[in-house]
Amino acid sequence: MRREIGEQGAAVAATLEEVRRQAGRARAAMSGRRRILFVARGSSDNAAIYGRYLVETQLGVPASLAAPSVATHYRARLDLSDTLVVSVSQSGRTEEIVEVQRWAAVHGAATVAISNDAESPLATEADVPLTTQAGTERAVPATKSYTSQLAALAGLAASLDGGESLWPLLDRAAAEVSRLEEGEAGVADAVDLLAGSDETLVTGRGLVFGTALEVALKLEETCLRPVRGLSYADLRHGPIAVVGPGLTAVVVAAQDGPMLGPIAELARDLAGRGAKVLAVGGDAVLAAAGACHVPGPDLPEPVAPLALVVPGQLIVESLARRLGLDPDSPRGLSKVTTTDPA
Amino acid sequence: MRREIGEQGAAVAATLEEVRRQAGRARAAMSGRRRILFVARGSSDNAAIYGRYLVETQLGVPASLAAPSVATHYRARLDLSDTLVVSVSQSGRTEEIVEVQRWAAVHGAATVAISNDAESPLATEADVPLTTQAGTERAVPATKSYTSQLAALAGLAASLDGGESLWPLLDRAAAEVSRLEEGEAGVADAVDLLAGSDETLVTGRGLVFGTALEVALKLEETCLRPVRGLSYADLRHGPIAVVGPGLTAVVVAAQDGPMLGPIAELARDLAGRGAKVLAVGGDAVLAAAGACHVPGPDLPEPVAPLALVVPGQLIVESLARRLGLDPDSPRGLSKVTTTDPA
């Protein structure tokens, strides 16, 4: 896992280049369509959440996430002739996702498949296969395949009408991934904090909400502890009532954007309730609100997620070792995931 | 809370009647539009998740849930001229939801507001206000306002093209709510199980996924314990690795439908990993898979959620008392919720 964290800058750069070569095909697939529907599970779903916010906020195209069972179990007949369906699966072989993509095509959608295997059924059956350039990922927890998915999603957005201005930001993002994968600042303190914590939640909002969910999922899968990922808003809307001493709250944020002020205020509120706050990314104000701070990328919010997850991965990998666990092969997980056992 | 649980059958029946009177207006608002976008937070969001599955599976209309910050913080310009926006808020005064509805109208959407107050800004500003007939709800945890929202959502679906066959099922659902609100079977055993549990999760899938999230939220808010609500699929996709003894898994299901087989298998799997399984609803097979079973409604899956939450509410109310807490007024919650503090 540690080595693959270090391969992400190169994987992101190569993926952006590959997607850019396919930009014309992606643009053609979207032509005449009004909305984008993402299909994914697990880490890929966390990537797709970023894709949804990016497409709605930067392109002004309505986007949403599919409920796969609507296709696979209820076999609903939806008119998707106005829709571009974007399926995301590292292996390209997760049966449920392949089935939803087939269903979408039958119901009129144009299809884009983001996978790490150009020979997979998901890729070969799609109108536009976008192949992430992560290479073989040996560790079970997704790292470089996840950041490559983010790169492919952002590259796809940059390929569509209104997204062109994202390209130069994405070149910067690849460089920031490379820089942060060597980052040690704050990681040891963060691991101390988390190792001594009874209960952990991770929160974020808007464009970085998917990052918060991904850090939560990685913490849980790799460190074998229950960890909750919650949006800022859902946390404020009720569960904040149960926050108190014993809880460590990981708060992730970009360095700018409309969410930064509110999330720093949330961090202060959580600290005021006795929680230990670990701030990842953000600015000096957020850093000051936390008991511990791990710096994030120097990137504007729309592309920050590509690199903001990297400090989170470093924390997870290091925490797993501290706890005497094997971060490369956590108990009970396999690489090609299955929703319904055969 | 206990008294309000007992007022739900009447509230659901009155709400269905009210929505049926507005069916023509709802149908007119949908005319020429191709999709439905739900806007909600908290318990109302759990209701909206049911609305989304119902609309997609029963009407074949693409539906999704809005990310409110796309409107309130990013001020995205989306073309919603093909969209019916359905906002759900008990008070009709949650500022974020009112703001998203205004944004949607500016961007071309027709608007339906489901609230419990016909004088609220959400109701008065909507093209079609649908007023739930829950009356004043005094306990902070939503019970009758939540089931009335489900009734309004289902009544709305029944009012639209292809939904007519839902009406007779909904009349049966109101009767089942009344029957179950007196139910005691299994509740004391369920409370014993939960009171002795270190960690709790609630899971469900498809049409009853929202029910699982609502039971999780109520357990957490009312009993002041962290409780996770997870979809069947997301649980299978990773976090199941951390399931073991010490965990109580509440598994909710309708008595029929394509999810029943897989969810019963999941219950057996969870029990095999050492978790204590509390089955709510389902059939005899699911009941046998659990250490404890609380019966659900005698209703087909599309309308089961209206009544399936009732046993969950009874468990929550009784558990709070067992833990020496006040179910009517949990610490740290207020009735009109605010996402961003002023």
Side-chain angles (χ1 to χ4, degrees), chain A residues 34-35 37 41-43 45 52-53 55-70 72-74 76-82 94 96 199 205-208 217 220-221 223-234 236-243 257-259 262 265 273 301 331-333 337-342, chain B residues 34-35 37 41-43 45 52-53 55-70 72-74 76-82 94 96 199 205-208 217 220-221 223-234 236-243 257-259 262 265 273 301 331-333 337-342:
Chain A
R34 302 163 57 89
R35 53 189 294 256
L37 181 66
R41 282 284 185 207
S43 285
D45 202 34
R52 184 254 172 104
Y53 278 94
V55 159
E56 291 204 319
T57 62
Q58 307 302 305
L59 307 187
V61 171
S64 60
L65 275 74
S69 68
V70 167
T72 57
H73 287 71
Y74 294 109
R77 292 158 174 254
L78 305 186
D79 177 358
L80 299 177
S81 58
D82 64 351
T94 296
E96 179 186 38
E199 195 198 335
R205 193 178 188 191
L207 281 155
V208 307
L217 184 62
E220 172 157 295
E221 289 180 346
C223 301
L224 302 175
R225 299 171 159 202
V227 175
R228 307 213 298 171
L230 273 177
S231 86
Y232 165 100
D234 289 332
R236 274 251 184 255
H237 228 261
I240 201 164
V242 300
V243 169
M259 299 312 180
E265 195 172 326
R273 291 167 190 259
E301 189 192 19
R331 184 185 77 194
L333 290 177
T337 47
T338 312
T339 298
D340 287 288
Chain B
R34 302 164 55 90
R35 52 189 294 255
L37 181 66
R41 282 285 184 207
S43 285
D45 201 34
R52 184 254 174 106
Y53 278 95
V55 159
E56 290 204 318
T57 64
Q58 308 302 306
L59 308 187
V61 171
S64 60
L65 275 75
S69 68
V70 167
T72 57
H73 287 70
Y74 295 108
R77 294 160 171 251
L78 305 185
D79 177 359
L80 299 176
S81 59
D82 64 352
T94 296
E96 179 186 37
E199 194 199 336
R205 194 180 190 190
L207 281 155
V208 307
L217 183 64
E220 173 157 294
E221 288 180 347
C223 300
L224 301 176
R225 299 172 160 202
V227 175
R228 306 215 296 172
L230 272 178
S231 85
Y232 165 99
D234 289 331
R236 274 250 185 257
H237 228 261
I240 200 164
V242 300
V243 169
M259 298 312 180
E265 195 172 328
R273 291 168 189 260
E301 188 191 21
R331 184 185 75 193
L333 290 176
T337 48
T338 312
T339 297
D340 287 287

Side-chain angles (χ1 to χ4, degrees), chain B:
Chain B
M1 184 176 175
R2 184 65 187 81
R3 198 183 62 226
E4 290 171 352
I5 290 172
E7 295 170 353
Q8 294 183 105
V12 163
T15 300
L16 288 169
E17 198 176 314
E18 170 65 16
V19 173
R20 200 160 188 165
R21 289 200 301 118
Q22 307 288 339
R25 288 179 71 190
R27 204 182 174 94
M30 185 67 192
S31 170
R33 295 177 188 266
R34 302 164 55 90
R35 52 189 294 255
I36 296 179
L37 181 66
F38 294 96
V39 182
R41 282 285 184 207
S43 285
S44 303
D45 201 34
N46 296 336
I49 288 170
Y50 165 62
R52 184 254 174 106
Y53 278 95
L54 189 69
V55 159
E56 290 204 318
T57 64
Q58 308 302 306
L59 308 187
V61 171
S64 60
L65 275 75
S69 68
V70 167
T72 57
H73 287 70
Y74 295 108
R75 305 185 191 287
R77 294 160 171 251
L78 305 185
D79 177 359
L80 299 176
S81 59
D82 64 352
T83 303
L84 180 72
V85 164
V86 179
S87 304
V88 190
S89 161
Q90 186 278 132
S91 67
R93 299 174 191 280
T94 296
E95 225 168 282
E96 179 186 37
I97 306 302
V98 174
E99 192 180 338
V100 176
Q101 181 177 273
R102 279 180 199 146
W103 165 88
V106 167
H107 290 83
T111 56
V112 169
I114 296 176
S115 82
N116 198 36
D117 179 357
E119 308 300 318
S120 66
L122 198 70
T124 55
E125 295 179 19
D127 296 326
V128 184
L130 297 180
T131 307
T132 51
Q133 304 294 307
T136 304
E137 190 170 59
R138 294 188 192 284
V140 172
T143 55
K144 62 179 179 170
S145 68
Y146 171 75
T147 42
S148 298
Q149 288 171 345
L150 299 178
L153 287 160
L156 173 62
S159 304
L160 303 179
D161 276 346
E164 303 77 4
S165 60
L166 288 170
W167 283 121
L169 301 180
L170 288 170
D171 293 335
R172 276 179 58 196
E176 280 295 280
V177 172
S178 293
R179 184 177 71 80
L180 286 173
E181 64 197 25
E182 304 306 327
E184 297 292 334
V187 170
D189 287 348
V191 169
D192 285 345
L193 198 65
L194 288 165
S197 159
D198 298 332
E199 194 199 336
T200 309
L201 71 78
V202 188
T203 187
R205 194 180 190 190
L207 281 155
V208 307
F209 174 44
T211 309
L213 293 181
E214 175 62 10
V215 172
L217 183 64
K218 284 289 153 298
L219 272 172
E220 173 157 294
E221 288 180 347
T222 312
C223 300
L224 301 176
R225 299 172 160 202
V227 175
R228 306 215 296 172
L230 272 178
S231 85
Y232 165 99
D234 289 331
L235 181 57
R236 274 250 185 257
H237 228 261
I240 200 164
V242 300
V243 169
L247 177 85
T248 299
V250 183
V251 178
V252 304
Q255 67 179 7
D256 61 11
M259 298 312 180
L260 184 57
I263 205 96
E265 195 172 328
L266 175 69
R268 281 191 296 272
D269 185 354
L270 292 167
R273 291 168 189 260
K276 292 187 204 101
V277 172
L278 163 56
V280 177
D283 63 354
V285 176
L286 181 67
C292 174
H293 179 239
V294 181
D298 176 17
L299 289 172
E301 188 191 21
V303 301
L306 275 72
L308 183 57
V309 72
V310 177
Q313 295 165 337
L314 290 167
I315 292 167
V316 166
E317 201 270 347
S318 184
L319 177 62
R321 294 201 186 281
R322 170 79 64 92
L323 298 174
L325 300 166
D326 176 5
D328 298 333
S329 186
R331 184 185 75 193
L333 290 176
S334 66
K335 197 74 195 161
V336 178
T337 48
T338 312
T339 297
D340 287 287

